[in-house]
Amino acid sequence: MAPHKIIAATTTEALKLVREQVGGDALVLSTRDTPEGVEIVAISPEALAKMSQRPEAKVAPVAGTAANTSASNSGNSNSASSASSFNSPASAAAVFKSSGTGYSPPEDKRVDKLLAEFSEVKQLLQTHLSARAWDDMQAQSTEKAEALRVLLNAGFSPQLCGEIADQLSAQGPSDAPLMDRLQVLLESKIQTLDPLSVFDPGGVFAFIGPTGVGKTTAIAKIAARCVLRYGRDQLALLTTDTFRIGAQEQLKVYAKIIGVPVVSLRDSDDLASKLSSMKDRRVILLDTAGVSQRDTQMLEQSQLLLEGAPALKRILVMSSTTDLRTQEDVILMYQMAEKNEKSRAVTAAIITKTDEAAQIGPVLDCLIRHQLPLMFLANGQRVPEDLSQANTAYLSHRALRPRMLSSRLNIPDDQIPVHMADQLNDWIKAS
């Protein structure tokens, strides 16, 4: 089965013919422009495997053995089967190995090397096809192309950019401005959680997150609101942060201002004991030590909370100044640490430092893809003023309009296909 050469007017039509004639898993060997149109040479994996197979080498029988066999059993059918077995490399290898010669058949790595080279060529061709598809999209669907450009430069992941662009295309033509339509689509994807529905029933709330994201300041802001709503005698503050110098003192200053006690914890037994003595308190806020999401102390701290207060609710504090990949890493690590039971999962998230971030797209992207509800936004250091309930209209508007002083870091048009390669190839296959 030889490779197939297919010529069509456009790349999309050529790939469609490749799927019909060669199969959906065809390997594209080459693509080029010809006077007749776009030429694609493709081959199926089965045909490639057959082309790469070598005929089995025949192994001659051992001279002494063959002579003895011929002399003693010239008419015996067993000798024929014995001789034929020596024509198989596997059988020959077994005989030599059993005779103690240490022979092993040579490993042929040429097939693996060939497949690796084809995979590399396929990747290069997919990049080329992505660039062609991007050019076609800019010519045929300018609104979709502009949506991808806006979303990518706002810091969203290619996966979410492709999803929103598909939804935009599905809506059809519209007289509404593109940014307004994108804002509505993005707003519908953001999940929020009413703080009253979280704190009114009472309980123990642990604020978790990496170091430096503003957990202690966020707790102080929320504590001030709890005092106004429930009273001083219904609130208590706990802390496990014994690593950072001055961490407890910072929380104690805030607690002294609002007239609430602060208790330091040593281990899970100490946590269970303190909670037992605070049963009359409606809301207990627990400040945890800020450690890297890859630090083993994060797992130890998670175990402390699990053993000391199995029913507590976790609130993940995330800084909007953190990049997309790190945000993803943080969520995955904390979810893995709490993945055993639903009651131990992260209840909601708080986004901090929105006043410092040029983009809030990356943190919103992670919350949307992981379906994590947002409870508060913190946009400054003032306690308790700089804390507001999550507002989807503001978030979507702010995310699509990054606060950047220069456009020099925007993704150039010729680099967009590299970022969106998987999505563009999926669109080509689906067309």
Side-chain angles (χ1 to χ4, degrees):
M1 297 177 66
H4 294 254
K5 182 168 71 172
I6 295 170
I7 299 177
T10 65
T11 304
T12 302
E13 293 176 5
L15 288 173
K16 187 175 181 180
L17 292 175
V18 168
R19 289 198 302 275
E20 293 174 355
Q21 299 181 19
V22 188
D25 56 351
L27 300 174
V28 177
L29 303 180
S30 68
T31 177
R32 67 189 182 96
D33 293 325
T34 66
E36 295 81 13
V38 179
E39 178 189 284
I40 293 181
V41 179
I43 188 172
S44 66
E46 296 78 12
L48 177 62
K50 289 182 180 180
M51 290 178 63
S52 61
Q53 286 178 354
R54 291 194 312 168
E56 293 184 347
K58 300 209 173 187
V59 181
V62 182
T65 306
N68 294 338
T69 304
S70 176
S72 58
N73 301 306
S74 58
N76 197 320
S77 61
N78 291 336
S79 67
S81 62
S82 176
S84 65
S85 69
F86 270 89
N87 290 334
S88 168
S91 302
V95 172
F96 280 114
K97 189 171 182 179
S98 63
S99 64
T101 61
Y103 171 83
S104 62
E107 295 183 4
D108 189 0
K109 298 182 179 179
R110 291 195 299 175
V111 174
D112 292 339
K113 183 180 179 181
L114 182 63
L115 292 175
E117 290 175 351
F118 273 121
S119 177
E120 188 174 328
V121 172
K122 180 182 178 182
Q123 184 67 33
L124 292 173
L125 290 173
Q126 283 180 337
T127 303
H128 174 70
L129 292 174
S130 299
R132 291 289 299 272
W134 172 245
D135 292 338
D136 292 343
M137 181 183 296
Q138 291 185 95
Q140 301 171 8
S141 180
T142 55
E143 190 174 60
K144 187 174 183 178
E146 181 61 23
L148 289 175
R149 190 181 292 110
V150 169
L151 291 167
L152 279 175
N153 284 305
F156 291 97
S157 66
Q159 177 185 344
L160 189 60
C161 291
E163 183 180 328
I164 295 177
D166 282 338
Q167 293 177 347
L168 185 72
S169 297
Q171 292 179 351
S174 174
D175 295 332
L178 175 63
M179 293 298 284
D180 291 348
R181 297 175 65 191
L182 287 177
Q183 184 173 332
V184 171
L185 288 172
L186 183 60
E187 184 178 343
S188 66
K189 293 180 176 295
I190 303 172
Q191 298 183 27
T192 59
L193 195 60
D194 184 3
L196 298 181
S197 67
V198 176
F199 294 108
D200 278 359
V204 183
F205 303 90
F207 292 74
I208 59 176
T211 180
V213 295
K215 292 188 297 297
T216 304
T217 306
I219 287 178
K221 296 173 182 177
I222 294 174
R225 283 167 166 73
C226 288
V227 167
L228 292 175
R229 185 170 180 83
Y230 311 117
R232 290 184 176 86
D233 58 343
Q234 293 297 307
L235 177 69
L237 299 178
L238 304 179
T239 178
T240 63
D241 195 351
T242 58
F243 303 102
R244 192 161 51 96
I245 297 175
Q248 295 185 15
E249 285 71 16
Q250 180 185 4
L251 188 61
K252 287 178 180 178
V253 169
Y254 292 136
K256 184 177 180 180
I257 294 173
I258 60 177
V260 175
V262 177
V263 179
S264 302
L265 303 173
R266 297 186 305 274
D267 51 32
S268 57
D269 292 336
D270 192 22
L271 172 58
S273 175
K274 294 295 190 301
L275 292 179
S276 179
S277 65
M278 296 179 177
K279 288 182 178 179
D280 58 330
R281 302 278 175 165
R282 183 173 186 172
V283 176
I284 299 175
L285 306 180
L286 197 160
D287 184 20
T288 61
V291 293
S292 165
Q293 68 273 16
R294 295 185 176 275
D295 197 322
T296 55
Q297 290 180 350
M298 189 267 286
L299 296 176
E300 294 172 0
Q301 185 168 253
S302 177
Q303 190 68 19
L304 182 152
L305 300 177
L306 173 62
E307 296 176 353
L312 65 75
K313 297 176 182 178
R314 291 165 172 78
I315 298 173
L316 180 61
V317 183
M318 304 175 68
S319 170
S320 54
T321 59
T322 307
D323 64 88
L324 178 63
R325 293 183 182 276
T326 307
Q327 301 278 19
E328 179 80 2
D329 203 37
V330 167
I331 292 180
L332 288 175
M333 287 296 184
Y334 277 98
Q335 284 183 340
M336 287 173 61
E338 321 295 345
K339 67 180 180 180
N340 295 328
E341 296 180 9
K342 289 184 178 180
S343 61
R344 301 174 196 165
V346 176
T347 302
I350 297 176
I351 296 180
T352 63
K353 304 183 180 182
T354 57
D355 56 317
E356 301 177 20
Q359 297 177 327
I360 65 169
V363 66
L364 278 183
D365 181 284
C366 290
L367 295 180
I368 290 171
R369 287 186 295 102
H370 290 278
Q371 298 182 345
L372 189 60
L374 181 61
M375 189 162 57
F376 283 118
L377 289 178
N379 60 344
Q381 295 293 319
R382 294 181 301 169
V383 178
E385 293 89 349
D386 293 333
L387 186 74
S388 58
Q389 189 173 339
N391 182 286
T392 56
Y394 166 76
L395 288 168
S396 57
H397 181 276
R398 170 80 164 80
L400 291 172
R401 296 166 178 83
R403 296 174 178 174
M404 293 184 290
L405 298 178
S406 171
S407 60
R408 288 181 297 176
L409 296 180
N410 283 353
I411 301 174
D413 277 4
D414 59 347
Q415 292 183 15
I416 288 180
V418 178
H419 293 267
M420 298 292 298
D422 291 340
Q423 285 69 31
L424 288 170
N425 286 317
D426 289 342
W427 286 331
I428 291 173
K429 293 176 183 178
S431 59

